[in-house]
Structure formats: C-alpha cells, structure tokens
C-alpha cells in the first residue's frame, strides 16, 4: 500500500487569522508532504511496503535499524492526526462523555488546560503534546521529535505540534501564544470526543 498524503480536512485558509494559509502551505504542503515521500521511498522493496501506516509505525518503533522509517512514518501519522484536531470556529469546552472523563481522570477542564499548556510549552525543542487514553485513563503527555503515543500502546485523542515549523511564520518565538490560541480558537472537541467514544466502545467490545 503506497503511503499517500491525506487531504486537509479544510481549505488552507480556513484557520486564519490564527494559523495562516502560508503556514499551511509550508507545514502541510512541504513538511508533511516530504515525510510521505521519504517514507514511501524508505519502505519500497522492504517487508513494510504493503503495510498500512499504523502498522509501519508500530513495527518500526524501538527498532534501531529502522529509526529513519519510524521517524518519517510517525511524522506522517502525527500530522494527519494534528490537522483533524483543529477546525474553523473551534475552541470552547468539551461536553458529554468527554467532559465527564476529563473531570474524573484529570480533576477539571481547567486543570487539563493547564497540564496541556505546560506539556506543550516545556517540550524542549521539537515535539508534540498529547491527550491520550492509557489503559482506560486520560493522561497528558509530551513526546520529542517524531515520537508518538502509537509506539506505547496509548490511544491518541488530541495533539498539538510544537515544532517551530508549526507556528514560527505566525507567532515567531511566541510558542505560548500559539498554544493558547490553539486551545481557545482552534481545538476541535468533536474530533477528540469521537476518538474517546471510539476507544471506549472498542474497550467494551473486548
Ligand atoms: Mn509539524
């Protein structure tokens, strides 16, 4: 199965004025696209060539001989997931099952927001902050570079990309402003809720 660049879930100017069309032209059109092209070349002719993206990430995780494959595969997966974590007119507060789960596992929405902001702001250098489901409980985590919760058996519910390429054109070195704007104006709680609802029903089915 060839690895392909998924469509963005919205036009490149949809997140303006918070994330510019120019940022998405580079971030999606150049960075994400380059990870797809590199990965496709790296798996060509190997036993991973016909595997799907999640399998490639999981099979290359922790394999010293496949660091390049892992880095590119994880970055393809992380970015495809990240685009869906935002929408025009996002922000606000989660409701229903997701809100209850945040309150029971993380104390309160305010506490979650603080933990998530801290994880995103303190990831040294490039990386990602996450809300994940880990053995049935919500956790806020951060990963360096390409690393991803998929490699640890965690279910990703939400992420923010804190590589400089995600925000430098719009926010320069002001990473905290980008993080605040992501949470206040862009986060797609419906997508987060659907991820939780999917994993909770899968867990029940098991
Ligand atoms: Mn990125």
């Amino acid at each position: 199965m060839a690895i392909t660049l998924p469509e963005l879930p919205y036009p490149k100017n949809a997140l303006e004025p918070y994330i510019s069309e120019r940022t998405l032209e580079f971030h999606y059109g150049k960075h994400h696209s380059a990870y797809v092209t590199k990965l496709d070349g790296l798996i060509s002719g190997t036993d991973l060539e016909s595997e799907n993206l999640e399998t490639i990430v999981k099979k290359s995780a922790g394999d010293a001989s496949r660091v390049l494959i892992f880095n590119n595969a994880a970055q393809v997966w992380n970015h495809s997931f990240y685009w869906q974590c935002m929408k025009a007119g996002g922000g606000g507060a989660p409701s229903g099952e997701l809100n209850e789960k945040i309150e029971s596992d993380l104390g309160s929405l305010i506490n979650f927001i603080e933990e998530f902001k801290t994880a995103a702001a303190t990831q040294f250098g490039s990386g990602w902050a996450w809300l994940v489901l880990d053995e049935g409980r919500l956790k806020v985590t951060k990963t360096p570079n390409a690393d991803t919760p998929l490699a640890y058996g965690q279910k990703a519910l939400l992420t923010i990309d804190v590589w400089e390429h995600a925000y430098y054109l719009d926010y320069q070195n002001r990473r905290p402003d980008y993080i605040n704007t992501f949470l206040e104006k862009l986060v797609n709680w419906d997508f987060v809720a659907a991820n939780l609802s999917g994993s909770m029903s899968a867990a029940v089915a098991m």
Side-chain angles (χ1 to χ4, degrees):
M1 166 181 317
I3 302 298
T4 53
L5 182 67
E7 296 267 332
L8 267 185
Y10 32 71
K12 288 200 188 80
N13 63 359
L15 306 180
E16 291 195 337
Y18 309 114
I19 292 181
S20 64
E21 178 168 14
R22 189 164 161 76
T23 288
L24 288 193
E25 276 170 0
F26 280 94
H27 196 184
Y28 170 76
K30 304 288 185 195
H31 291 278
H32 192 182
S33 176
Y35 294 126
V36 170
T37 306
K38 278 183 204 154
L39 177 60
D40 217 29
L42 286 166
I43 60 173
S44 173
T46 76
D47 60 314
L48 297 176
E49 186 170 21
S50 58
E51 300 288 4
N52 68 34
L53 181 60
E54 290 208 3
T55 304
I56 295 169
V57 171
K58 289 175 183 169
K59 282 193 167 176
S60 60
D63 182 341
S65 70
R66 289 187 149 163
V67 172
L68 257 185
I69 288 178
F70 175 78
N71 284 342
N72 283 280
Q75 282 294 77
V76 173
W77 192 91
N78 289 351
H79 283 90
S80 302
F81 187 81
Y82 166 67
W83 307 131
Q84 299 177 79
C85 290
M86 300 182 284
K87 66 173 185 181
S95 58
E97 178 191 38
L98 174 60
N99 185 50
E100 287 165 23
K101 186 80 175 147
I102 287 174
E103 289 184 350
S104 71
D105 289 356
L106 300 172
S108 66
L109 179 63
I110 290 173
N111 191 57
F112 158 71
I113 297 280
E114 283 313 306
E115 276 191 47
F116 191 80
K117 279 184 187 174
T118 300
T122 61
Q123 171 53 42
F124 185 76
S126 297
W128 304 79
W130 304 87
L131 175 66
V132 301
L133 195 63
D134 186 8
E135 298 185 345
R137 282 184 71 83
L138 295 183
K139 276 187 194 166
V140 173
T141 65
K142 57 186 175 179
T143 58
N145 302 315
D147 209 5
T148 181
L150 260 187
Y152 305 102
Q154 298 168 328
K155 165 80 179 173
L157 304 182
L158 170 68
T159 195
I160 182 170
D161 185 344
V162 295
W163 285 56
E164 282 189 346
H165 67 215
Y167 60 88
Y168 212 84
L169 291 175
D170 298 322
Y171 298 87
Q172 292 76 51
N173 61 330
R174 292 175 284 115
R175 189 193 286 191
D177 289 353
Y178 158 66
I179 298 165
N180 287 341
T181 304
F182 175 92
L183 288 164
E184 287 169 13
K185 307 290 187 186
L186 296 172
V187 61
N188 182 353
W189 286 117
D190 292 338
F191 177 67
V192 183
N195 290 330
L196 175 65
S197 157
S199 23
M200 298 300 273
S201 47
V204 170
M206 281 158 60

